[in-house]
Amino acid sequence: MNLRRLLRPVRSRFLLLFAIAPALLVACNKEDAQSTFGTSGPIADTQASLFIFIFWIAVVVFVLVEGALIYSILKFRRRGSDESLPAQVHGNNKLEIIWTIIPVFILIAIAIPTVKIIFDQADPPTDEGAVLDINIRAHQWWWEIEYPGEDVVTSNEIHIPVGQWVNFTMHSDDVIHSFWVPKLAGKLDIVPGDVREINMKADEAGFFFGQCAEFCGEAHAKMRFRVKAEEPAEFQDWLDSMRRPPVELVSDDAIAGQPLFAANCSTCHATNTWQAPAARNERTRLAGLRSAYLDNQEDAVVIAAPNLTHFATRETLGAGLIDLNAENLIEWIANPDDVKEGNRMKELAVPYRNNSLSSDDVRQIAAYLLELKPVAADAVIAPAGDSGGTAVERGAATFAGNCSGCHSTGADAVVGPGLAGVSSRGDDAYIRESIVDPGAVVVDGFPPAMPPGFGTTLSAEQLDDLIAYLKSL
Ligand code: CUA
């Protein structure tokens, strides 16, 4: 056969490879946000070195094997009308021993560093200071973040201190997800019912991209997150700020947006976990929302949803998907499906089902969220119950900030019972005891989800106002 014709399909494949090579090489650009080559921490660094080591071994094997193949094709090709076969080497013991032993040595050379690194990286080093523990819980399609012992919970943006080892303890609430911060560490699957741990350290400050790396449903590709590595003092400031109350709302839109948020969004999204009892209860609250969803998926109107406490301090929106700014936030609230197909908010939340949010409502809710930030560390915090209005109005604000994550003001049960007509269930003393010592009076059929001491974060005046409001329902 003519050699040129023989090589034609090979040549077209080479051309194709050359055409797509630039696209493949984009992944190797160290500056790329999700590049595994531009590493920023020791775990990813070691893993990248191991990859490079194995890569060069593979290059040598590739060149030798393909070289021998091409040599054989050319040297032993059929020439002219000569039909005779070249000398056969089948059954050559010496050759077969050589090409068995060489791969054994190659595999041993790869296995020794690989296994060593797997064991080295299983736990953070014991001689490099305290390890920061962070709990991660993966949801379709966002990330719940908890700093155990700190009474701080948040979502989708993980703050860590530069130079300190961090150990992530990870759960999944639904399907298999995979936690991956390319510049800091390799990926780790999170399997429902199992606990997975991964540790990493950032050597430099940065806003690192994270991505769910296991197909987990419709919005998988948009299940992103960020790791914000900050200097230790800055990290501590952030941690402290997450435990301070929000600033007073300023703009008319934000003030109008607060009750709209309370009525339409706060059943699933908490904004009050700057208070320790609410932070401690957040996991229970989200688990309650999750089981309420599972109990009746057909008609469910609730789902575990991202915590939005001090939301305005974040940089991204929609689980690390787009920048947080007024324009994007309005677009997200108005039509979440246009931004992130398949998200549960559009599918489940009543305002979308009923199409009941006007464009003014959307703008005002966005304005409210964009003013949700903590007061400065040295701010003088006004005594509670000092905000004017009638007792019922003040009580409504207290309810929106503290209770509406678990209780509706209608008949619908969320995590706890709906509170319409609560005064018919008992007198003032009963309502007061339900708030101050919730364990003593759990309504039949509900879990004891309210944390002990929940009411102790409220001042006596706030408690009186809250009771006045509840009796008005
Ligand atoms: Cu979560 Cu993919």
Side-chain angles (χ1 to χ4, degrees), residues 153-154 242 270-274 307-314 372:
V153 290
T154 184
M242 289 301 285
T271 55
N272 64 339
T273 56
W274 54 273
N307 184 297
L308 300 181
T309 301
H310 299 331
F311 179 71
T313 59
R314 303 214 192 137
L372 277 186

Side-chain angles (χ1 to χ4, degrees), residues 177 212 214-216 220 223:
H177 302 268
C212 177
E214 176 71 49
F215 181 71
C216 56
H220 153 71
M223 184 175 168

Side-chain angles (χ1 to χ4, degrees), residues 170-201:
M170 308 194 288
H171 299 78
S172 168
D173 245 15
D174 34 49
V175 299
I176 302 176
H177 302 268
S178 185
F179 185 82
W180 190 31
V181 193
K183 284 180 178 294
L184 296 182
K187 57 189 80 157
L188 187 67
D189 277 11
I190 314 173
V191 180
D194 198 7
V195 184
R196 296 287 165 95
E197 290 187 52
I198 190 171
N199 60 84
M200 58 188 76
K201 183 175 84 164

Side-chain angles (χ1 to χ4, degrees), residues 128-144:
E128 290 188 31
V131 175
L132 174 69
D133 284 311
I134 298 179
N135 295 337
I136 298 289
R137 195 170 279 263
H139 299 260
Q140 282 174 317
W141 292 274
W142 64 279
W143 305 85
E144 179 187 335

Side-chain angles (χ1 to χ4, degrees), residues 245-308:
V247 294
E248 212 167 306
L249 301 174
V250 178
S251 73
D252 290 344
D253 272 356
I255 291 166
Q258 183 172 34
L260 286 169
F261 181 90
N264 292 292
C265 322
S266 70
T267 301
C268 298
H269 294 284
T271 55
N272 64 339
T273 56
W274 54 273
Q275 300 165 102
R280 282 174 217 153
N281 190 48
E282 180 68 346
R283 178 84 283 277
T284 311
R285 191 188 74 87
L286 289 169
L289 287 167
R290 167 88 187 145
S291 59
Y293 167 75
L294 290 179
D295 281 351
N296 185 359
Q297 288 188 51
E298 290 281 292
D299 303 311
V301 293
V302 292
I303 187 86
N307 184 297
L308 300 181

